[in-house]
Amino acid sequence: MSFNRSIKIAPSILSADFANFGQEIQAVEAQGADWVHVDVMDGHFVPNITFGPATCKAIRPHIKGVMDVHLMISPVDQYIDAFAESGADFITAHLEAGPHIHRTLQAIRATGAKAGLALNPGTPAEAAKGLIDDLDLICVMTVNPGFGGQKFIHSQLEKIRTLRAMIGDRPVHIEIDGGVDPTTAPLVAEAGADVLVAGSAVFKGGSVSNSNPYGENIRAIRAAAEAALR
Ligand code: DX5
Ligand code: ZN
């Protein structure tokens, strides 16, 4: 997996048919998805529950590209090995999930997975200072984590710019998660993001038996983001 800052679209399977993850993943990849974003929620760190490492392991064979696992759980550390063994390429933990985020990032990298750090909307960019050399991805939450389909929080754009400057030429991705659609994608791309997670904006209007809308949605988000970079 070589590093680059080209725009990558990462559909979140939180908006897919939960009874049909395998086919949904194959459909979005066939329709142009770059990464597959997998939202793990524990009903404690966030007010919603999705699934755990067993489901991640079950869906892994269906993902040809990058498996991007976003852990919205607390505590994190005791589950890292299980998510790594499930085949995750990126494992992202929240800075707010515990007092020892540096240890968590080190533990993720020790498994061989890439380490991601997610920041809630209320957490400033400066909180990531001192951690940049220990991570591979920063996920800027542009909604409060827990649910798909929420409204993009515009105040996060300044945070993206600050993080982009902090990262400099280090090989660290900036991922945006929440409310990404063709109207917000150009804003985050211009601010410095390269990985755009989108749930509702990718899966709307389609299904496994009618997956062309997934492709139209992915292309619309990508085109809007790339146009902002020209
Ligand atoms: C929210 C999740 C997101 C979510 C995004 O807690 O982390 O990945 O699925 O959904 P949309 O794109 O619908 O805002
Ligand atoms: Zn997510």
Side-chain angles (χ1 to χ4, degrees), residues 138-149:
I138 300 182
C139 174
V140 178
M141 294 303 304
T142 40
V143 299
N144 287 295
F147 303 95

Side-chain angles (χ1 to χ4, degrees), residues 37 39 70 72 177:
H37 185 81
D39 286 308
H70 178 193
M72 287 161 275
D177 192 0

Side-chain angles (χ1 to χ4, degrees), residues 50-131:
T50 55
F51 47 75
T55 302
C56 291
K57 192 174 184 181
I59 64 177
R60 172 75 258 194
H62 299 276
I63 302 174
K64 289 199 193 111
V66 172
M67 183 180 189
D68 174 35
V69 175
H70 178 193
L71 298 181
M72 287 161 275
I73 66 173
S74 174
V76 181
D77 293 11
Q78 65 227 56
Y79 301 107
I80 289 171
D81 285 346
F83 284 104
E85 281 159 22
S86 81
D89 295 296
F90 284 81
I91 299 177
T92 295
H94 270 262
L95 185 137
E96 306 85 2
H100 298 296
I101 187 65
H102 187 272
R103 174 183 291 151
T104 301
L105 295 169
Q106 280 185 318
I108 293 170
R109 278 190 163 175
T111 68
K114 303 259 187 215
L117 173 72
L119 304 178
N120 278 338
T123 302
E126 288 70 21
K129 225 175 182 173
L131 298 170

Side-chain angles (χ1 to χ4, degrees), residues 4-74:
N4 69 68
R5 284 203 189 283
S6 62
I7 296 293
K8 291 162 281 291
I9 309 297
S12 162
I13 60 166
L14 187 61
S15 294
D17 174 1
F18 270 45
N20 234 338
F21 276 148
Q23 284 184 288
E24 290 277 45
I25 287 163
Q26 288 168 19
V28 286
E29 283 197 333
Q31 293 289 342
D34 299 290
W35 292 14
V36 175
H37 185 81
V38 181
D39 286 308
V40 176
M41 304 186 187
D42 67 352
H44 167 73
F45 180 67
V46 289
N48 193 7
I49 301 176
T50 55
F51 47 75
T55 302
C56 291
K57 192 174 184 181
I59 64 177
R60 172 75 258 194
H62 299 276
I63 302 174
K64 289 199 193 111
V66 172
M67 183 180 189
D68 174 35
V69 175
H70 178 193
L71 298 181
M72 287 161 275
I73 66 173
S74 174

Side-chain angles (χ1 to χ4, degrees), residues 80-218:
I80 289 171
D81 285 346
F83 284 104
E85 281 159 22
S86 81
D89 295 296
F90 284 81
I91 299 177
T92 295
H94 270 262
L95 185 137
E96 306 85 2
H100 298 296
I101 187 65
H102 187 272
R103 174 183 291 151
T104 301
L105 295 169
Q106 280 185 318
I108 293 170
R109 278 190 163 175
T111 68
K114 303 259 187 215
L117 173 72
L119 304 178
N120 278 338
T123 302
E126 288 70 21
K129 225 175 182 173
L131 298 170
I132 308 279
D133 288 323
D134 298 289
L135 48 79
D136 304 288
L137 175 150
I138 300 182
C139 174
V140 178
M141 294 303 304
T142 40
V143 299
N144 287 295
F147 303 95
Q150 302 181 80
K151 208 171 156 327
F152 182 87
I153 302 172
H154 283 261
S155 62
Q156 301 306 300
L157 290 170
E158 192 187 333
K159 186 155 111 191
I160 299 167
R161 283 192 201 98
T162 306
L163 287 166
R164 183 67 196 86
M166 278 168 59
I167 288 168
D169 57 9
R170 295 180 183 87
V172 174
H173 297 286
I174 297 186
E175 174 176 77
I176 307 304
D177 192 0
V180 172
D181 63 21
T183 64
T184 54
L187 308 177
V188 300
E190 190 274 327
D194 63 298
V195 184
L196 276 51
V197 175
S200 41
V202 165
F203 285 93
K204 70 163 192 211
S207 66
V208 288
S209 54
N210 171 35
S211 62
N212 285 339
Y214 297 167
E216 288 157 19
N217 295 337
I218 289 168

